[in-house]
Coordinates of all heavy atoms in Angstrom, one line a residue:
Chain A
S1 N 73.0 21.9 186.2 CA 73.2 20.5 185.6 C 74.7 20.2 185.5 O 75.5 21.2 185.4 CB 72.6 20.3 184.3 OG 73.2 21.1 183.3
S2 N 75.1 19.0 185.3 CA 76.6 18.7 185.2 C 77.1 19.2 183.9 O 78.3 19.5 183.8 CB 76.8 17.2 185.4 OG 76.3 16.5 184.3
S3 N 76.3 19.2 182.8 CA 76.8 19.7 181.6 C 77.1 21.2 181.6 O 78.0 21.7 181.0 CB 75.8 19.4 180.4 OG 74.6 20.1 180.5
E4 N 76.2 21.9 182.4 CA 76.5 23.4 182.5 C 77.8 23.6 183.3 O 78.6 24.4 183.0 CB 75.4 24.1 183.3 CG 75.6 25.6 183.2 CD 74.6 26.4 184.1 OE1 73.9 25.7 184.9 OE2 74.7 27.6 184.1
A5 N 78.0 22.7 184.3 CA 79.3 22.8 185.1 C 80.5 22.5 184.2 O 81.5 23.1 184.3 CB 79.2 21.8 186.3
D6 N 80.3 21.5 183.3 CA 81.4 21.2 182.4 C 81.7 22.3 181.5 O 82.9 22.7 181.2 CB 81.0 20.0 181.5 CG 81.0 18.7 182.3 OD1 81.6 18.6 183.4 OD2 80.4 17.7 181.9
E7 N 80.6 23.0 181.0 CA 80.8 24.1 180.1 C 81.5 25.3 180.8 O 82.4 25.9 180.2 CB 79.5 24.7 179.6 CG 78.9 23.8 178.4 CD 77.5 24.3 178.0 OE1 77.2 25.5 178.2 OE2 76.8 23.4 177.5
M8 N 81.1 25.5 182.1 CA 81.8 26.6 182.8 C 83.2 26.3 183.1 O 84.1 27.2 183.0 CB 81.0 26.8 184.1 CG 79.7 27.5 183.9 SD 78.7 27.7 185.4 CE 79.7 28.9 186.3
A9 N 83.5 25.0 183.4 CA 84.9 24.6 183.7 C 85.7 24.8 182.4 O 86.9 25.3 182.5 CB 85.0 23.2 184.2
A10 N 85.2 24.4 181.3 CA 85.9 24.6 180.0 C 86.1 26.0 179.7 O 87.2 26.4 179.3 CB 85.1 23.9 178.9
A11 N 85.1 26.9 180.0 CA 85.3 28.3 179.7 C 86.4 28.9 180.7 O 87.2 29.7 180.2 CB 84.0 29.0 179.9
L12 N 86.3 28.5 181.9 CA 87.3 29.0 182.9 C 88.7 28.6 182.5 O 89.7 29.4 182.5 CB 87.0 28.5 184.3 CG 87.9 28.9 185.4 CD1 88.1 30.4 185.5 CD2 87.4 28.4 186.8
E13 N 88.9 27.3 182.1 CA 90.2 26.8 181.7 C 90.7 27.5 180.4 O 91.9 27.8 180.3 CB 90.1 25.3 181.5 CG 90.2 24.6 182.9 CD 89.7 23.2 182.9 OE1 89.8 22.5 181.8 OE2 89.3 22.7 184.0
A14 N 89.7 27.9 179.5 CA 90.1 28.6 178.4 C 90.6 30.0 178.8 O 91.6 30.5 178.2 CB 88.9 28.8 177.4
E15 N 89.9 30.7 179.7 CA 90.4 32.0 180.2 C 91.8 31.9 180.9 O 92.5 32.8 180.8 CB 89.4 32.5 181.3 CG 88.1 33.0 180.8 CD 88.2 34.4 180.2 OE1 89.0 35.2 180.7 OE2 87.5 34.6 179.2
L16 N 92.0 30.7 181.5 CA 93.3 30.6 182.2 C 94.3 29.9 181.3 O 95.4 29.5 181.8 CB 93.1 29.7 183.4 CG 92.2 30.3 184.5 CD1 91.9 29.3 185.6 CD2 92.9 31.5 185.1
N17 N 94.1 29.8 180.0 CA 94.9 29.0 179.1 C 96.4 29.3 179.3 O 97.2 28.4 179.5 CB 94.5 29.3 177.7 CG 95.1 28.3 176.7 OD1 95.3 27.2 177.1 ND2 95.3 28.7 175.5
D18 N 96.8 30.5 179.2 CA 98.2 30.9 179.4 C 98.7 30.5 180.8 O 99.9 30.1 181.0 CB 98.5 32.4 179.1 CG 98.1 32.7 177.7 OD1 98.1 31.8 176.9 OD2 97.8 33.9 177.5
F19 N 97.9 30.8 181.7 CA 98.2 30.6 183.1 C 98.4 29.2 183.5 O 99.3 28.9 184.3 CB 97.0 31.3 183.9 CG 97.2 31.2 185.4 CD1 98.0 32.1 186.0 CD2 96.4 30.3 186.1 CE1 98.1 32.1 187.4 CE2 96.5 30.3 187.5 CZ 97.4 31.2 188.1
M20 N 97.6 28.3 183.0 CA 97.7 26.9 183.4 C 98.8 26.2 182.6 O 99.3 25.2 182.9 CB 96.4 26.2 183.1 CG 95.3 26.6 184.0 SD 93.7 25.8 183.6 CE 93.8 24.3 184.5
Chain B
T1 N 67.3 38.7 193.8 CA 66.6 37.4 193.8 C 66.7 36.8 195.1 O 67.7 37.0 195.9 CB 67.2 36.5 192.7 OG1 68.6 36.4 193.0 CG2 67.0 37.0 191.3
P2 N 65.8 35.9 195.5 CA 65.7 35.4 196.9 C 67.0 34.6 197.2 O 67.4 34.5 198.4 CB 64.5 34.4 196.8 CG 63.7 34.9 195.7 CD 64.7 35.5 194.7
N3 N 67.6 33.9 196.2 CA 68.7 33.0 196.6 C 70.1 33.6 196.5 O 71.1 33.0 196.8 CB 68.7 31.8 195.7 CG 67.5 30.9 196.0 OD1 67.0 30.8 197.1 ND2 66.9 30.2 195.0
S4 N 70.1 34.9 196.0 CA 71.4 35.5 195.8 C 72.0 35.9 197.1 O 71.4 36.2 198.1 CB 71.3 36.7 194.9 OG 70.6 37.7 195.6
G5 N 73.4 35.9 197.1 CA 74.1 36.4 198.3 C 74.3 35.4 199.4 O 74.9 35.6 200.4
E6 N 73.9 34.1 199.2 CA 74.1 33.1 200.2 C 75.6 32.8 200.3 O 76.1 32.6 201.4 CB 73.3 31.8 199.8 CG 73.4 30.7 200.8 CD 72.7 29.5 200.2 OE1 71.9 29.6 199.3 OE2 73.0 28.4 200.8
V7 N 76.2 32.8 199.1 CA 77.7 32.6 199.0 C 78.3 33.7 198.2 O 77.7 34.2 197.3 CB 78.0 31.2 198.3 CG1 79.5 31.1 198.1 CG2 77.5 30.1 199.2
Q8 N 79.4 34.3 198.7 CA 80.0 35.4 197.9 C 81.3 34.9 197.3 O 82.2 34.3 197.9 CB 80.3 36.5 198.9 CG 79.0 37.2 199.3 CD 79.2 38.6 199.9 OE1 80.2 38.8 200.5 NE2 78.3 39.5 199.6
L9 N 81.4 35.2 196.0 CA 82.6 34.9 195.3 C 83.6 36.0 195.4 O 83.6 37.0 194.7 CB 82.3 34.7 193.8 CG 83.2 33.8 193.0 CD1 82.8 33.8 191.5 CD2 84.7 34.1 193.1
T10 N 84.5 35.9 196.4 CA 85.5 37.0 196.7 C 86.9 36.4 196.7 O 87.0 35.1 196.8 CB 85.2 37.6 198.1 OG1 85.4 36.5 199.1 CG2 83.8 38.2 198.2
E11 N 87.8 37.3 196.7 CA 89.2 36.8 196.7 C 89.5 36.1 198.0 O 90.2 35.0 198.1 CB 90.2 38.0 196.6 CG 91.6 37.6 196.7 CD 92.6 38.8 196.3 OE1 92.2 39.7 195.6 OE2 93.7 38.8 196.8
E12 N 88.9 36.6 199.1 CA 89.1 36.0 200.4 C 88.6 34.5 200.5 O 89.2 33.6 201.0 CB 88.5 36.8 201.5 CG 88.7 36.3 202.9 CD 90.2 36.0 203.2 OE1 91.1 36.8 202.7 OE2 90.5 35.0 203.9
A13 N 87.4 34.3 199.9 CA 86.8 33.0 199.8 C 87.6 32.0 199.0 O 87.8 30.9 199.4 CB 85.4 33.1 199.3
V14 N 88.1 32.5 197.8 CA 88.9 31.6 197.0 C 90.2 31.3 197.7 O 90.6 30.1 197.7 CB 89.2 32.3 195.6 CG1 90.2 31.5 194.8 CG2 87.9 32.5 194.9
R15 N 90.8 32.3 198.3 CA 92.0 32.1 199.1 C 91.9 31.0 200.2 O 92.7 30.2 200.4 CB 92.5 33.4 199.7 CG 93.8 33.4 200.4 CD 94.1 34.6 201.2 NE 94.2 35.8 200.3 CZ 95.3 36.2 199.7 NH1 96.4 35.4 199.8 NH2 95.3 37.2 198.9
R16 N 90.7 31.1 200.9 CA 90.5 30.2 202.0 C 90.4 28.8 201.5 O 91.0 27.9 202.0 CB 89.2 30.6 202.7 CG 89.1 30.1 204.1 CD 88.0 30.9 204.9 NE 86.7 31.0 204.2 CZ 86.0 32.1 203.9 NH1 86.5 33.2 204.2 NH2 84.9 32.0 203.2
Y17 N 89.6 28.6 200.4 CA 89.5 27.2 199.8 C 90.8 26.7 199.4 O 91.1 25.5 199.7 CB 88.5 27.2 198.7 CG 87.0 27.3 199.1 CD1 86.2 28.2 198.6 CD2 86.5 26.3 200.0 CE1 84.8 28.3 198.9 CE2 85.2 26.4 200.4 CZ 84.4 27.3 199.8 OH 83.0 27.4 200.2
L18 N 91.6 27.5 198.7 CA 92.8 27.0 198.1 C 93.9 26.8 199.2 O 94.9 26.1 198.9 CB 93.3 27.9 197.0 CG 92.5 28.0 195.8 CD1 93.1 28.9 194.7 CD2 92.2 26.6 195.2
S19 N 93.7 27.4 200.3 CA 94.7 27.2 201.4 C 94.4 25.8 202.1 O 95.3 25.3 202.8 CB 94.6 28.3 202.5 OG 94.9 29.5 201.9
R20 N 93.2 25.4 202.0 CA 92.8 24.1 202.7 C 93.3 22.9 201.9 O 93.8 21.9 202.5 CB 91.3 24.0 202.8 CG 90.8 24.8 204.0 CD 89.3 24.5 204.1 NE 88.6 25.6 204.7 CZ 87.4 26.0 204.5 NH1 86.6 25.2 203.7 NH2 86.8 27.0 205.1
K21 N 93.1 22.9 200.6 CA 93.5 21.7 199.8 C 93.5 22.1 198.3 O 92.8 23.0 197.9 CB 92.5 20.6 200.0 CG 91.1 20.8 199.6 CD 90.2 19.6 199.6 CE 88.9 19.8 198.9 NZ 88.1 18.6 198.7
P22 N 94.3 21.3 197.5 CA 94.3 21.6 196.1 C 93.0 21.3 195.5 O 92.3 20.4 195.8 CB 95.3 20.5 195.6 CG 96.1 20.1 196.8 CD 95.2 20.2 197.9
M23 N 92.6 22.2 194.5 CA 91.3 22.1 193.9 C 91.4 22.4 192.4 O 92.2 23.2 191.9 CB 90.3 23.2 194.5 CG 90.1 23.0 195.9 SD 88.9 24.3 196.5 CE 87.4 23.3 196.4
T24 N 90.6 21.7 191.6 CA 90.5 21.9 190.2 C 89.6 23.1 189.9 O 88.9 23.5 190.8 CB 90.0 20.7 189.5 OG1 88.6 20.4 189.9 CG2 90.8 19.4 189.8
T25 N 89.5 23.5 188.7 CA 88.6 24.6 188.3 C 87.2 24.1 188.6 O 86.3 24.9 189.1 CB 88.7 24.9 186.8 OG1 88.6 23.7 186.0 CG2 90.0 25.6 186.5
K26 N 86.9 22.8 188.3 CA 85.6 22.3 188.6 C 85.2 22.3 190.1 O 84.1 22.6 190.5 CB 85.4 20.9 188.0 CG 84.0 20.5 187.7 CD 83.9 19.2 186.9 CE 84.1 19.4 185.5 NZ 83.7 18.2 184.7
D27 N 86.2 21.9 190.9 CA 86.0 22.0 192.4 C 85.6 23.4 192.8 O 84.7 23.6 193.6 CB 87.3 21.6 193.1 CG 87.7 20.1 192.9 OD1 86.8 19.3 192.6 OD2 88.9 19.9 193.0
L28 N 86.3 24.4 192.3 CA 86.1 25.8 192.7 C 84.7 26.2 192.2 O 83.9 26.8 192.9 CB 87.1 26.7 192.1 CG 88.4 26.8 192.9 CD1 89.5 27.5 192.0 CD2 88.2 27.5 194.2
L29 N 84.3 25.8 191.0 CA 83.0 26.2 190.4 C 81.9 25.6 191.3 O 80.9 26.2 191.5 CB 82.9 25.8 189.0 CG 83.7 26.6 188.0 CD1 83.8 25.9 186.6 CD2 83.1 28.0 187.8
K30 N 82.2 24.4 191.8 CA 81.2 23.8 192.7 C 80.9 24.6 194.0 O 79.8 24.6 194.5 CB 81.6 22.4 193.0 CG 80.8 21.3 192.4 CD 81.3 19.9 192.8 CE 81.7 19.1 191.6 NZ 82.4 17.9 192.0
K31 N 82.0 25.2 194.4 CA 81.9 26.0 195.7 C 81.1 27.3 195.4 O 80.6 27.9 196.4 CB 83.3 26.4 196.2 CG 84.1 25.2 196.6 CD 83.5 24.5 197.8 CE 84.4 23.3 198.3 NZ 83.7 22.5 199.3
F32 N 81.1 27.8 194.2 CA 80.5 29.1 193.9 C 79.4 28.9 192.8 O 79.4 29.5 191.8 CB 81.6 30.1 193.4 CG 82.6 30.3 194.4 CD1 83.9 29.8 194.3 CD2 82.4 31.1 195.5 CE1 84.9 30.1 195.2 CE2 83.3 31.4 196.5 CZ 84.6 30.8 196.3
Q33 N 78.5 27.9 193.1 CA 77.4 27.7 192.2 C 76.6 28.9 192.0 O 76.3 29.6 192.9 CB 76.6 26.5 192.7 CG 77.3 25.2 192.6 CD 76.4 24.1 193.2 OE1 75.3 23.9 192.8 NE2 77.0 23.4 194.2
T34 N 76.2 29.1 190.7 CA 75.4 30.4 190.4 C 74.1 30.5 191.2 O 73.7 31.6 191.6 CB 75.0 30.4 188.9 OG1 74.3 29.2 188.6 CG2 76.3 30.5 188.0
K35 N 73.5 29.4 191.6 CA 72.3 29.4 192.3 C 72.5 29.9 193.8 O 71.6 30.4 194.5 CB 71.5 28.1 192.3 CG 72.3 27.0 193.0 CD 71.6 25.6 192.9 CE 72.4 24.5 193.4 NZ 71.8 23.2 193.1
R36 N 73.8 29.8 194.2 CA 74.1 30.2 195.6 C 74.7 31.6 195.6 O 74.5 32.3 196.6 CB 75.2 29.3 196.2 CG 74.6 27.9 196.5 CD 75.7 27.0 197.1 NE 75.2 25.7 197.4 CZ 74.6 25.4 198.5 NH1 74.4 26.3 199.5 NH2 74.1 24.2 198.7
T37 N 75.4 32.0 194.5 CA 75.9 33.4 194.5 C 75.0 34.4 193.9 O 75.1 35.6 194.1 CB 77.3 33.4 193.7 OG1 77.0 33.0 192.4 CG2 78.3 32.5 194.3
G38 N 74.1 33.9 193.0 CA 73.2 34.9 192.3 C 73.9 35.5 191.1 O 73.3 36.3 190.4
L39 N 75.1 35.0 190.8 CA 75.9 35.5 189.6 C 75.5 34.7 188.4 O 75.1 33.6 188.5 CB 77.4 35.4 189.8 CG 78.0 36.3 191.0 CD1 79.5 35.9 191.1 CD2 77.8 37.7 190.7
S40 N 75.7 35.3 187.2 CA 75.5 34.5 186.0 C 76.7 33.6 185.8 O 77.7 33.7 186.4 CB 75.4 35.5 184.8 OG 76.7 36.1 184.6
S41 N 76.6 32.7 184.9 CA 77.7 31.8 184.5 C 78.9 32.6 184.0 O 80.0 32.3 184.5 CB 77.3 30.8 183.5 OG 76.2 30.0 183.9
D42 N 78.6 33.5 183.1 CA 79.7 34.3 182.6 C 80.4 35.1 183.7 O 81.7 35.2 183.7 CB 79.2 35.3 181.5 CG 79.0 34.6 180.2 OD1 79.3 33.4 180.1 OD2 78.4 35.3 179.3
A43 N 79.7 35.7 184.6 CA 80.3 36.5 185.6 C 81.1 35.7 186.6 O 82.2 36.1 187.0 CB 79.2 37.3 186.4
T44 N 80.6 34.4 186.8 CA 81.3 33.5 187.7 C 82.7 33.1 187.1 O 83.7 33.2 187.7 CB 80.5 32.3 187.9 OG1 79.3 32.6 188.5 CG2 81.2 31.3 188.8
V45 N 82.6 32.8 185.8 CA 83.8 32.4 185.1 C 84.8 33.5 185.0 O 86.0 33.3 185.3 CB 83.5 31.9 183.6 CG1 84.8 31.8 182.8 CG2 82.8 30.5 183.7
N46 N 84.3 34.7 184.7 CA 85.2 35.9 184.6 C 85.9 36.2 186.0 O 87.1 36.5 186.1 CB 84.5 37.1 184.1 CG 84.2 37.0 182.6 OD1 84.9 36.3 181.9 ND2 83.2 37.6 182.1
A47 N 85.0 36.2 187.0 CA 85.5 36.5 188.3 C 86.6 35.5 188.8 O 87.6 35.9 189.3 CB 84.4 36.6 189.3
L48 N 86.3 34.2 188.6 CA 87.2 33.2 189.1 C 88.6 33.3 188.3 O 89.6 33.1 188.8 CB 86.6 31.8 188.9 CG 85.9 31.3 190.1 CD1 85.2 29.9 189.8 CD2 86.7 31.2 191.4
A49 N 88.4 33.6 187.0 CA 89.7 33.7 186.2 C 90.5 34.9 186.7 O 91.7 34.7 186.9 CB 89.3 33.9 184.7
Q50 N 89.9 36.0 186.9 CA 90.6 37.2 187.4 C 91.3 36.9 188.8 O 92.4 37.3 189.0 CB 89.7 38.4 187.5 CG 89.2 38.9 186.2 CD 90.3 39.1 185.2 OE1 91.3 39.7 185.5 NE2 90.2 38.5 184.0
L51 N 90.5 36.3 189.7 CA 91.0 36.0 191.0 C 92.1 35.0 191.0 O 93.1 35.2 191.7 CB 89.8 35.5 191.9 CG 88.8 36.6 192.3 CD1 87.6 35.9 193.0 CD2 89.4 37.7 193.1
L52 N 92.0 34.0 190.2 CA 93.1 33.0 190.1 C 94.4 33.6 189.6 O 95.5 33.3 190.0 CB 92.7 31.8 189.3 CG 91.7 30.8 190.0 CD1 91.1 29.8 189.0 CD2 92.4 30.1 191.2
K53 N 94.2 34.5 188.5 CA 95.4 35.2 188.0 C 96.1 36.0 189.0 O 97.3 36.1 189.1 CB 95.0 36.0 186.8 CG 94.7 35.1 185.5 CD 94.2 35.9 184.4 CE 93.8 35.1 183.2 NZ 93.2 35.8 182.1
R54 N 95.2 36.7 189.8 CA 95.8 37.6 190.9 C 96.4 36.8 192.0 O 97.5 37.2 192.5 CB 94.7 38.5 191.4 CG 95.3 39.6 192.2 CD 94.2 40.5 192.9 NE 93.1 40.8 192.0 CZ 91.9 41.2 192.4 NH1 91.7 41.3 193.7 NH2 90.9 41.4 191.6
L55 N 95.8 35.7 192.4 CA 96.3 35.0 193.6 C 97.5 34.2 193.1 O 98.4 33.8 194.0 CB 95.2 34.0 194.1 CG 94.1 34.7 194.9 CD1 92.9 33.7 195.1 CD2 94.6 35.2 196.2
D56 N 97.6 33.9 191.8 CA 98.8 33.1 191.3 C 99.1 31.9 192.2 O 100.2 31.8 192.7 CB 100.0 34.1 191.2 CG 101.1 33.4 190.4 OD1 100.8 32.6 189.5 OD2 102.2 33.8 190.5
P57 N 98.2 31.0 192.3 CA 98.4 29.8 193.2 C 99.4 28.8 192.6 O 99.7 28.9 191.4 CB 97.0 29.2 193.3 CG 96.3 29.6 192.0 CD 96.9 30.9 191.7
E58 N 99.9 28.0 193.5 CA 100.8 26.9 193.0 C 99.9 25.9 192.2 O 98.7 25.8 192.4 CB 101.3 26.1 194.3 CG 102.0 27.0 195.3 CD 103.4 27.4 194.9 OE1 104.0 26.6 194.1 OE2 103.8 28.5 195.2
R59 N 100.6 25.2 191.3 CA 99.8 24.2 190.5 C 100.4 22.9 190.7 O 101.6 22.7 190.9 CB 100.0 24.5 189.0 CG 99.3 25.7 188.5 CD 100.3 26.8 188.6 NE 100.1 27.9 187.6 CZ 100.5 29.1 187.8 NH1 101.0 29.5 188.9 NH2 100.3 30.0 186.9
K60 N 99.6 21.9 190.7 CA 100.0 20.5 190.9 C 99.1 19.6 190.2 O 97.9 19.7 190.2 CB 100.0 20.2 192.4 CG 100.4 18.9 192.8 CD 100.9 18.9 194.3 CE 100.0 18.4 195.3 NZ 100.5 18.3 196.7
L61 N 99.8 18.6 189.5 CA 99.0 17.6 188.8 C 98.7 16.5 189.7 O 99.6 15.8 190.3 CB 99.7 17.0 187.6 CG 99.7 17.8 186.2 CD1 100.5 17.1 185.2 CD2 98.2 17.9 185.7
I62 N 97.4 16.2 189.9 CA 97.0 15.1 190.8 C 96.0 14.3 189.9 O 95.0 14.8 189.4 CB 96.3 15.6 192.1 CG1 97.2 16.5 192.9 CG2 95.8 14.4 192.9 CD1 96.5 17.1 194.1
A63 N 96.3 13.0 189.8 CA 95.5 12.1 188.9 C 95.3 12.8 187.5 O 94.2 12.8 187.0 CB 94.2 11.8 189.6
D64 N 96.4 13.3 187.0 CA 96.4 13.9 185.7 C 95.5 15.2 185.6 O 95.2 15.6 184.4 CB 95.9 12.9 184.6 CG 97.0 12.0 184.2 OD1 98.2 12.3 184.5 OD2 96.8 10.9 183.6
K65 N 95.1 15.7 186.7 CA 94.3 16.9 186.6 C 95.0 18.1 187.3 O 95.5 17.9 188.4 CB 92.9 16.7 187.3 CG 92.0 15.9 186.4 CD 90.6 15.7 187.1 CE 89.8 14.8 186.2 NZ 88.7 14.2 187.0
M66 N 95.0 19.2 186.7 CA 95.6 20.4 187.3 C 94.9 20.9 188.5 O 93.7 21.1 188.4 CB 95.7 21.5 186.2 CG 96.4 22.8 186.7 SD 98.1 22.4 187.1 CE 98.8 22.3 185.4
H67 N 95.6 21.0 189.6 CA 95.0 21.5 190.9 C 95.7 22.7 191.3 O 96.9 22.8 191.1 CB 95.1 20.4 192.0 CG 94.2 19.2 191.8 ND1 94.3 18.3 190.8 CD2 93.2 18.8 192.6 CE1 93.4 17.4 191.0 NE2 92.7 17.7 192.1
F68 N 95.0 23.7 191.8 CA 95.6 24.9 192.4 C 95.6 24.8 193.9 O 94.7 24.3 194.5 CB 94.8 26.1 192.0 CG 94.7 26.3 190.5 CD1 93.5 26.1 189.8 CD2 95.8 26.6 189.7 CE1 93.4 26.3 188.5 CE2 95.7 26.8 188.4 CZ 94.5 26.6 187.7
F69 N 96.6 25.4 194.5 CA 96.6 25.5 196.0 C 97.5 26.6 196.4 O 98.4 27.1 195.7 CB 97.1 24.2 196.6 CG 98.5 23.8 196.4 CD1 99.5 24.1 197.4 CD2 98.9 23.3 195.2 CE1 100.8 23.7 197.2 CE2 100.3 22.9 195.0 CZ 101.2 23.2 195.9
L70 N 97.3 27.1 197.6 CA 98.0 28.2 198.2 C 98.8 27.7 199.4 O 98.2 27.0 200.3 CB 97.1 29.4 198.5 CG 96.6 30.2 197.4 CD1 95.5 31.1 197.8 CD2 97.7 31.0 196.7
K71 N 100.0 28.1 199.5 CA 100.8 27.8 200.7 C 100.4 28.8 201.8 O 100.1 29.9 201.5 CB 102.3 27.8 200.5 CG 102.7 26.7 199.5 CD 104.2 26.8 199.2 CE 104.7 25.8 198.3 NZ 106.0 26.0 197.8
E72 N 100.5 28.3 203.0 CA 100.2 29.2 204.2 C 101.1 30.4 204.2 O 102.3 30.3 204.0 CB 100.3 28.5 205.5 CG 99.1 27.5 205.7 CD 97.8 28.2 205.7 OE1 97.7 29.3 206.3 OE2 96.8 27.7 205.1

């Protein structure tokens, strides 16, 4: 679902926090 | 599972996508949907995070969104 995609994107961006 | 392995989340695959055009995290996640790779959501997020850190792609803001891309 799109909400799961949103959650995964948020989690990935959190993982990449320093990097981004 | 029957649907696993159709798409593989590898460094080479990520490199190929990012060499073609700038992509957001959401664009990349769409290319490696869990139903296609057979990976869990957590495994997908962790693998993409590690691969992006290793590939260290260029970053560019397009329409206020961070995009990653690799130069040839």
